[in-house]
Amino acid sequence: MLMPSVKPLGELENASEFIARHIGISEADEAHMLSVIGEASRRALIDSIVPRSIARSAGMDLPPAATEAAALAELKAIAAKNKVFKSFIGQGYYGTHTPGVILRNILENPAWYTAYTPYQAEISQGRMEALVNFQTMVTDLTGMDIANASMLDEATAAAEAMTLAMRTVKSKSKVFVVSRACHPQTIEVIQTRAKPLGIEVVVPQSAADWHAALEGEHFAALAQYPCSTGLVEDLSAYAAQSHAQSAAFIVAADLLALTLLKPPGEMGADIVVGTTQRFGMPMGAGGPHAAYMACRDAFKRSLPGRLVGVSVDAHGNTAYRLALQTREQHIRREKATSNICTAQVLPAVVASMYAVYHGPQGLKRIAQRVAAYTAILARGLQSMGHTLRKETAFDTIWLLTKDATAPLMQRARDAGMNLRQACEQSIVISLDETTTREDIAALWRVFGQDGQALPSFHAFEKGVEPLIPTELRRTSAYMTHPVFDSHHSETGMLRYIRSLSDKDLALDRSMIPLGSCTMKLNATSEMIPITWPEFAGVHPFAPVDQLQGYKALDEQLRAWLCQATGYAGISLQPNAGSQGEYAGLLAIQGWHAARGEGHRNICLIPSSAHGTNPASAQMVGMQVVVTKCDENGNVDMADLKAKCEQHSANLAAVMITYPSTHGVFETTVKELCALVHQHGGRVYVDGANMNALVGVAAPGEFGGDVSHLNLHKTFCIPHGGGGPGVGPVCVVEDLVPFLPGHATGGIQSGVGAVSAAPLGNAAVLPISWMYIRMMGAEGLKHATEAAILSANYISKRLADHYPTLYASANGHVAHECILDLRSFKDTSGVMAEDVAKRLMDYGFHAPTLSFPVANTLMVEPTESETLEELDRFIDAMIAIRNEIRQIENGSWPQDDNPLKNAPHTAASVLKGEWSHPYSREVAVATKGHAVNTKYWPSVGRVDNVYGDRNLFCSCVPVSELAD
């Protein structure tokens, strides 16, 4: 009998096993790929691509890689430091029950959380239908004409509403009136946003001052409904006052309350914003949650964010698509009205499905129970001798507690409950969907004196009158579309969710080779912790001693990210990459102002930059000056030098992307940074391509002053169909004092809050923590190098079919390559969009289309893809090139071929008569691939022009669907 060979103990205890699971390229694969590229080793390849002048001199000081089990256990111990109290704080965050069928089949399902933004409509019909449900739900509940497909959070939605109003109304005033009854974090974010734009935010401190402000000149006003401390009042007169000043009236409204309350649209509101958090998304210490924005029809063409509209496909069937100003930043750049280029799609889908599952009657019943419990709590406390400061409420009561305030707050904490102290002499209590009879009884005990008889629920068994004024009770119908009344059984809901996901193409089916978007593996072990109660059940404004787990998570993750970037300080508050850009420019602006150089307002941006860069610059009041790029896509250093000299006295910053948006490591980046510093400016290095730098170069070391990171790209938070995201802002030492603050959350800074919660989308931070913890320094570096290897392998293998537009002197690229398709227009009539649509027939999401160069495809494979999948994509691209040759040689006409007719649906291929000059087998693109793995797009090519000319953004009538 053969005895097993003895192995070193270290091999048996392999802590690096996760690295091989995350990186799809094996050692044998790597050797083959290097032979194709023509390099002897991975090290040699990287040395030939990354300029030696910026190469890291030392590694990252990170903990060694841990196994999945060990990392989960370590994170569980951190999570245990959080205390999950029963929170009655409210203030925009509430307990909620996520239905199990939604939790398991959407929030925890890679078919939903690994999907990309629905820019390719034909393979995104499922999530877009869910978003149309979201928009319909919002418009119905608010009583408005149109709503977008979600915003980042309620506070930033309110800030966006402010700027929407300013550019839309007739008033030329720069005054924005904000009710002090709004949530404090909303007021704070608005003040941050308003300051660089020269907007004067007026927050009246009394009812008389509020009326006076509305009678004076202003361009818009904002009210909370119900107000932050619970008051429910008619806003009609206030809206009329604003309209008399040619101003807009904005309402921040609670959607659950609107099932019972008169909607803002019936009281004269022009714009309505809010959060959908209590529709099934856990509090998660502040996010992610889908905010919403709805408006009157007259405002729709300026509505920020994403909007899903209804159009038709090539066969005349109803189809969904992103409409209007989607990605307007990349088109309008410095003239863009907003820098937001993502949304909160996954949380929006959860909220819409919550509405579909419960239906209008189910939502109303939840709201009625909340309102009933609120009235019972109030009546009981009154019977005990306590005084309500206001007699109206939906879910929140405001008590006058005087000298007993502090002792009552402590008694509540001792009982495992959090209340909200509104001021030194009053307490606010907010109830929610999770409130029980036992909770009400526990609250009565907290407010009861020793020996005092407590109220009994028996007195309320026959029902209780809610504290909602009769004249403000809702009479109008809502959510009348059949989709909200068709899936109330779990079986029906399960099948509806599955039917939608089957229409989509996400990372669980195939690679998504999007350049500059980094669709890498979102490992299951990284995702598991986000629904742990210790992370999910925490209120963002709970006492700090209850948030010690999040404090430790924040400190560790920031320290690790500093190691990865070479920066001295980081804030995790920005909840999207665009918000990280904005926060970084605010830091630069704040630094200049603190030095008495607030006049510096020129921001130099290369023509190749991401569109969010100039949009963010204009949001902080900077003047954008575009600098040239040379024929190789690099920053034109001569032009940059001339612009620096021309604007030296007023130069605030330059914004660059590195590696460049064209997919190359520019060799003059250190010289660029030194030049800008010489003229008194700071260097913003866009972190969109940080996944090509981690472990090999650090912007904080080669001259960058500020960067934002996309944790939803480089550090594995999933894209979720277009959000959630996290966009940390990273700075050098002298800019640390100007990182985002959050007075409401106890963070003081020279710059205000940029997100509603102190840690932004805190609940998804464990994903990046797990990724870094399991990869370690060597694993992260390996991931960077594997991504660069894969991009160069694709570029080399496709060189004879699609030339790479930009490359370094030795022909290599960074982590992405731009394939040049421009010549096909003349030879065959084929455009890059046709290739993108044809890839769907082969089962692939298209690469980034026509950015940064029109009629090109930017391919980024990421380190997570296997050689088999890379080759499958390459084979598909070669097959498509051969199809183009069939058009070029006249075998197929330019207007009737597989590319122009792509994608092909099953219905179009199975129809009886086939009149095309190519076969059905060619149409379905299964040659050489197993038919049983075929992905079928659910609609044909969507008509974009029709969708914009016939803008319709709510659920489609059943009659049209039937047709």
Side-chain angles (χ1 to χ4, degrees):
M1 183 176 68
L2 293 175
M3 297 294 292
S5 59
V6 176
K7 289 185 176 291
L9 193 57
E11 290 185 25
L12 300 177
E13 298 174 334
N14 181 16
S16 301
E17 59 187 10
F18 175 78
I19 298 172
R21 293 172 179 169
H22 175 81
I23 297 174
I25 307 299
S26 69
E27 287 187 25
D29 296 335
E30 182 178 301
H32 166 71
M33 295 165 70
L34 287 167
S35 69
V36 171
I37 297 169
E39 291 287 355
S41 66
R42 192 173 81 230
R43 178 75 268 148
L45 174 67
I46 300 304
D47 287 347
S48 71
I49 293 173
V50 181
R52 294 300 85 202
S53 61
I54 67 167
R56 294 192 72 132
S57 56
M60 297 175 287
D61 184 12
L62 298 174
T67 64
E68 294 175 69
L72 282 168
E74 189 175 329
L75 186 58
K76 192 72 172 179
I78 293 174
K81 295 179 181 179
N82 289 329
K83 299 175 183 177
V84 186
F85 279 29
K86 186 77 176 185
S87 284
F88 299 98
I89 297 171
Q91 201 171 320
Y93 301 93
Y94 304 89
T96 184
H97 294 304
T98 308
V101 67
I102 296 175
L103 176 71
R104 177 62 57 87
N105 295 290
I106 292 180
L107 194 57
E108 297 177 343
N109 184 351
W112 288 92
Y113 67 68
T114 68
Y116 183 61
T117 302
Y119 293 138
Q120 294 294 338
E122 297 82 0
I123 53 176
S124 310
Q125 290 296 297
R127 81 197 75 129
M128 284 202 284
E129 180 172 328
L131 292 175
V132 166
N133 293 344
F134 177 90
Q135 293 173 180
T136 303
M137 169 190 79
V138 169
T139 54
D140 283 4
L141 288 173
T142 59
M144 303 305 289
D145 297 322
I146 195 168
N148 66 15
S150 74
M151 301 291 283
L152 300 174
D153 59 32
E154 180 171 328
T156 54
E160 290 285 341
M162 171 182 71
T163 53
L164 166 61
M166 184 172 66
R167 62 179 177 265
T168 307
V169 300
K170 293 181 179 179
S171 172
K172 300 303 180 185
S173 171
K174 299 284 282 186
V175 173
F176 184 51
V177 182
V178 180
S179 168
R180 70 167 183 163
C182 291
H183 295 317
Q185 69 271 19
T186 298
I187 298 174
E188 190 175 355
V189 170
I190 285 172
Q191 289 170 331
T192 302
R193 182 72 64 89
K195 184 177 179 181
L197 298 177
I199 297 172
E200 179 187 354
V201 178
V202 174
V203 185
Q205 295 303 300
S206 68
D209 291 341
W210 166 250
H211 283 285
L214 294 181
E215 291 293 338
E217 287 190 0
H218 62 287
F219 70 86
L222 172 67
Q224 192 91 37
Y225 181 69
C227 81
S228 190
T229 51
L231 175 67
V232 179
E233 64 174 335
D234 192 338
L235 305 177
S236 302
Y238 306 146
Q241 286 179 289
S242 286
H243 294 158
Q245 297 296 325
S246 297
F249 192 71
I250 306 167
V251 177
D254 184 312
L255 281 190
L256 186 63
L258 295 185
T259 64
L260 303 181
L261 297 180
K262 185 177 182 179
E266 295 177 15
M267 294 188 287
D270 299 293
I271 307 170
V272 185
V273 297
T275 178
T276 61
Q277 178 268 316
R278 65 193 312 173
F279 279 27
M281 279 298 292
M283 289 183 287
H289 309 130
Y292 71 84
M293 179 182 287
C295 64
R296 296 204 176 281
D297 188 74
F299 289 66
K300 69 183 179 185
R301 297 282 167 177
S302 296
L303 192 64
R306 290 176 174 154
L307 187 69
V308 177
V310 180
S311 187
V312 295
D313 75 355
H315 312 293
N317 300 313
T318 299
Y320 302 107
R321 60 178 284 274
L322 289 179
L324 289 177
Q325 55 277 95
T326 296
R327 296 209 94 174
E328 68 153 1
Q329 311 83 2
H330 292 275
I331 300 169
R332 303 188 69 220
R333 302 178 73 79
E334 69 270 14
K335 295 182 176 63
T337 54
S338 167
N339 76 337
I340 291 179
C341 70
T342 57
Q344 296 279 27
V345 171
L346 189 64
V349 169
V350 169
S352 75
M353 291 299 184
Y354 180 93
V356 167
Y357 195 39
H358 288 293
Q361 294 307 312
L363 292 181
K364 186 175 182 179
R365 187 163 53 250
I366 293 169
Q368 287 173 329
R369 185 171 66 247
V370 172
Y373 279 178
T374 303
I376 291 170
L377 173 64
R379 298 310 178 212
L381 289 172
Q382 286 177 314
S383 72
M384 296 164 63
H386 294 283
T387 303
L388 296 183
R389 293 198 64 173
K390 301 293 181 181
E391 286 290 335
T392 65
F394 161 63
D395 64 357
T396 300
I397 60 172
W398 189 11
L399 293 167
L400 182 62
T401 47
K402 298 184 179 179
D403 294 341
T405 302
L408 286 170
M409 292 289 292
Q410 187 59 52
R411 285 185 66 178
R413 283 195 290 271
D414 292 343
M417 296 182 286
N418 292 321
L419 309 180
R420 177 182 169 194
Q421 185 172 336
C423 63
E424 291 183 0
Q425 296 196 327
S426 64
I427 289 175
V428 172
I429 306 173
S430 293
L431 307 187
D432 56 46
E433 178 189 7
T434 69
T435 302
T436 63
R437 293 184 176 206
E438 290 73 22
D439 293 328
I440 303 298
L443 287 166
W444 284 334
R445 285 195 296 274
V446 166
F447 283 83
Q449 298 180 9
D450 293 340
Q452 184 180 21
L454 300 180
S456 169
F457 253 92
H458 294 299
F460 304 106
E461 288 297 340
K462 292 184 179 180
V464 62
E465 188 71 18
L467 303 180
I468 300 172
T470 304
E471 67 276 11
L472 289 180
R473 296 182 186 182
R474 183 164 194 147
T475 58
S476 54
Y478 53 88
M479 291 165 51
T480 57
H481 191 277
V483 73
F484 298 111
D485 200 27
S486 303
H487 310 291
H488 297 166
S489 72
E490 181 161 340
T491 303
M493 190 66 183
L494 176 66
R495 290 172 181 163
Y496 181 57
I497 292 171
R498 177 57 187 265
S499 72
L500 295 188
S501 64
D502 281 347
K503 296 178 181 180
D504 286 3
L505 188 64
L507 203 64
D508 64 327
R509 291 183 191 259
S510 67
M511 72 181 285
I512 300 180
L514 283 149
S516 202
C517 291
T518 325
M519 295 296 294
K520 61 170 68 182
L521 171 71
N522 315 122
T524 305
S525 290
E526 295 161 8
M527 300 298 296
I528 286 173
I530 67 170
T531 53
W532 286 348
E534 299 93 332
F535 285 132
V538 179
H539 195 288
F541 300 121
V544 292
D545 67 296
Q546 297 174 27
L547 298 169
Q548 290 306 297
Y550 269 113
K551 181 174 184 290
L553 178 72
D554 171 58
E555 290 174 350
Q556 287 188 12
L557 188 53
R558 285 190 293 111
W560 295 349
L561 293 174
C562 280
Q563 286 295 315
T565 60
Y567 285 111
I570 292 177
S571 168
L572 299 176
Q573 186 185 130
N575 51 14
S578 59
Q579 303 308 98
E581 287 183 17
Y582 170 66
L585 292 174
L586 283 179
I588 291 174
Q589 192 177 61
W591 180 80
H592 283 307
R595 291 162 50 86
E597 295 192 318
H599 62 276
R600 288 185 174 267
N601 69 336
I602 298 296
C603 186
L604 303 181
I605 301 180
S607 59
S608 64
H610 288 99
T612 52
N613 291 175
S616 296
Q618 69 85 22
M619 282 179 61
V620 300
M622 290 185 181
Q623 180 183 337
V624 174
V625 174
V626 177
T627 66
K628 298 176 184 177
C629 289
D630 63 24
E631 60 183 12
N632 296 315
N634 302 317
V635 174
D636 186 322
M637 289 297 291
D639 186 57
L640 180 71
K641 182 179 180 182
K643 296 286 191 349
C644 283
E645 291 174 351
Q646 178 185 352
H647 300 287
S648 183
N650 296 306
L651 181 61
V654 64
M655 299 183 79
I656 62 169
T657 301
Y658 199 82
S660 77
T661 312
H662 292 140
V664 294
F665 282 88
E666 299 184 39
T667 59
T668 57
V669 66
K670 290 192 75 171
E671 291 83 351
L672 182 152
C673 295
L675 174 64
V676 174
H677 292 153
Q678 177 186 336
H679 289 276
R682 306 306 294 257
V683 179
Y684 185 103
V685 181
D686 188 314
N689 295 336
M690 188 66 202
N691 55 307
L693 293 177
V694 177
V696 301
E701 293 179 357
F702 63 63
D705 297 300
V706 182
S707 291
H708 85 272
L709 305 176
N710 292 329
L711 295 193
H712 48 289
K713 292 165 62 172
T714 304
F715 295 95
C716 287
I717 290 174
H719 211 287
V726 180
V729 55
C730 319
V731 297
V732 292
E733 187 68 44
D734 63 340
L735 294 180
V736 170
F738 304 98
L739 286 170
H742 205 290
T744 308
I747 304 173
Q748 301 302 321
S749 167
V751 177
V754 297
S755 299
L759 281 181
N761 285 341
V764 292
L765 296 177
I767 300 170
S768 296
W769 187 98
M770 283 290 294
Y771 173 64
I772 297 173
R773 188 67 187 88
M774 293 187 293
M775 292 291 279
E778 287 306 309
L780 292 176
K781 182 180 180 183
H782 188 176
T784 299
E785 294 175 348
I788 294 173
L789 170 67
S790 295
N792 280 276
Y793 176 72
I794 288 177
S795 176
K796 188 71 172 180
R797 280 210 56 201
L798 289 178
D800 293 337
H801 308 278
Y802 307 91
T804 294
L805 185 57
Y806 298 112
S808 58
N810 57 13
H812 293 330
V813 297
H815 62 305
E816 59 193 8
C817 57
I818 299 176
L819 303 181
D820 191 357
L821 281 65
R822 293 175 296 178
S823 65
F824 298 152
K825 179 181 179 182
D826 293 329
T827 63
S828 64
V830 168
M831 305 293 286
E833 183 180 16
D834 300 319
V835 177
K837 303 306 181 187
R838 183 58 173 156
L839 275 168
M840 298 175 190
D841 289 329
Y842 284 88
F844 286 104
H845 194 296
T848 300
L849 175 64
S850 291
F851 177 80
V853 180
N855 215 14
T856 64
L857 294 175
M858 183 160 60
V859 183
E860 180 178 346
T862 87
E863 73 276 6
S864 303
E865 298 303 336
T866 63
L867 177 59
E868 178 185 18
E869 186 72 352
L870 296 177
D871 282 338
R872 193 171 75 88
F873 172 75
I874 290 167
D875 290 345
M877 289 295 293
I878 293 173
I880 293 172
R881 179 64 184 95
N882 288 331
E883 292 172 352
I884 296 173
R885 291 189 178 100
Q886 293 275 69
I887 306 169
E888 290 172 331
N889 65 27
S891 297
W892 295 330
Q894 291 194 6
D895 61 349
D896 188 6
N897 56 68
L899 284 89
K900 289 295 182 182
N901 295 330
H904 296 80
T905 63
S908 69
V909 173
L910 293 173
K911 67 182 180 181
E913 182 181 350
W914 184 259
S915 59
H916 301 296
Y918 54 94
S919 68
R920 298 176 201 256
E921 183 185 25
V922 169
V924 301
T926 56
K927 188 175 182 179
H929 301 277
V931 176
N932 60 3
T933 63
K934 166 70 179 172
Y935 167 77
W936 292 98
S938 60
V939 298
R941 193 174 304 196
V942 177
D943 189 331
N944 294 325
V945 175
Y946 178 94
D948 275 349
R949 288 179 177 172
N950 303 275
L951 186 62
F952 186 79
C953 301
S954 299
C955 289
V956 180
V958 175
S959 59
E960 289 191 25
L961 289 175
D963 292 339

